[in-house]
Amino acid sequence: MTVKVPEVMTVAEAAAYLRVDERTVRRLLRAGRLPGRKVGREWRLHKAALDRFLAGEEDEALSAEDWKALLRGLEDIRAGRVTPWEKLREELVR
C-alpha cells in the first residue's frame, strides 16, 4: 500500500514525515533551519524542501534575527535614513 504524501504539509504532517515531534518542527522553523512559510497563523512546508533538508541540502533560510535586520533596513529606507547609492558613489570617487 502506497501512502500519498502531500506536496504542501502542515506542521503535524511534516512532523510525521520527518518522524519527529511537532515541537521540533516548530523550533526548527522559528530558528530558520527548516524552510517554511506562515499562512495566517499556521506554518506550511513543501515536501521538496523537507527532502533537501533530510539530504543535508538545507535551503538558506533567514533566521529571525536576519528578518528583523532586514525589516529595520527597509524601515530606514522608507524613513530616508539611508544615503542614496549615487551620493555615496560620488563621495567615494572624491
Side-chain angles (χ1 to χ4, degrees), residues 27-87:
R27 187 178 71 247
L28 290 169
L29 285 164
R30 282 192 304 271
R33 293 190 50 221
L34 192 62
R37 294 276 185 264
K38 274 248 175 148
V39 179
R41 296 176 65 193
E42 300 292 324
W43 285 98
R44 293 295 181 263
L45 302 95
H46 281 274
K47 180 186 176 298
L50 294 177
D51 290 338
R52 286 191 302 273
F53 175 80
L54 287 173
E57 304 167 6
E58 298 178 35
D59 289 348
E60 288 294 325
L62 294 176
S63 69
E65 291 175 11
D66 290 339
W67 274 111
K68 288 177 186 174
L70 181 63
L71 293 174
R72 280 194 309 270
L74 290 173
E75 182 56 36
D76 287 344
I77 291 168
R78 286 188 194 109
R81 295 186 291 255
V82 177
T83 303
W85 170 245
E86 293 79 17
K87 184 176 179 181

